[in-house]
Amino acid sequence: MASELRVDTLKDAAGNNSVGMAYVAEGSAKQWSNFVGSSASVNDSHNTSSVTDNGTGDFSPQLSSSMGNANYNIACMVKPTSGQTNQTVSRVGNVAYSNAPTTGGYRVILVTSAIGPEDNDKTMTTVHGDLA
C-alpha cells in the first residue's frame, strides 16, 4: 500500500533551515547522465534509459520518464580524454532544427575549438524542468 506525505515546507531536525516544496520539486535535477564518449556506455545516471551515439562527439540521451514539455534546461560538461588540451569545450544544442529537444530526450554536441566534433573520456549532462 502506497502512502503519501503532504507538506508545505521542509525543515532540518532542529526546526531550522526551511525550504518550500516548490523549491525541492522545481530545483531538483530531473535527469542526469555520466557516460563515456567513445562508446556511449553509461557510467551512472538518473532517469536515463539509454544514450545513443550518433557519431563523433554527437550523443542523444533518452529519458526514462518524459519531461512535461521541450522547454527544459540542459547543462553539459566534459572531462577531456588523455592528451586533449584544455581547449575542449562542450556545446549543448541541436545539429539541425529537426533535432531540437523533445520531451523524451535531447542531443548533445561536443566540439573542440581547434578540431571540431570529438569524443571525450566522460560526458556529464543534467536536465532541470518539469516532468510530465
Side-chain angles (χ1 to χ4, degrees):
M1 181 168 147
S3 60
E4 187 174 300
L5 179 64
R6 295 181 185 210
V7 297
D8 293 323
T9 305
L10 291 176
K11 292 186 178 187
D12 64 20
N16 300 316
N17 302 312
S18 65
V19 62
M21 291 308 299
Y23 287 100
V24 175
E26 295 294 322
S28 300
K30 301 308 187 290
Q31 181 268 346
W32 60 267
S33 60
N34 178 317
F35 60 92
V36 179
S38 59
S39 64
S41 60
V42 179
N43 295 319
D44 202 358
S45 69
H46 168 69
N47 193 25
T48 306
S49 61
S50 65
V51 176
T52 302
D53 188 345
N54 302 308
T56 304
D58 185 352
F59 305 96
S60 295
Q62 300 301 308
L63 283 64
S64 302
S65 297
S66 295
M67 300 300 289
N69 59 55
N71 297 318
Y72 49 88
N73 183 58
I74 305 164
C76 179
M77 184 170 222
V78 299
K79 176 184 181 255
T81 302
S82 177
Q84 291 176 327
T85 68
N86 61 1
Q87 294 177 356
T88 301
V89 297
S90 64
R91 179 180 74 186
V92 178
N94 52 327
V95 175
Y97 181 76
S98 61
N99 295 120
T102 67
T103 57
Y106 53 94
R107 199 154 177 174
V108 176
I109 311 299
L110 307 170
V111 297
T112 300
S113 56
I115 299 171
E118 189 170 57
D119 290 337
N120 292 278
D121 189 36
K122 284 187 182 178
T123 302
M124 298 155 278
T125 64
T126 305
V127 166
H128 285 86
D130 298 323
L131 288 172

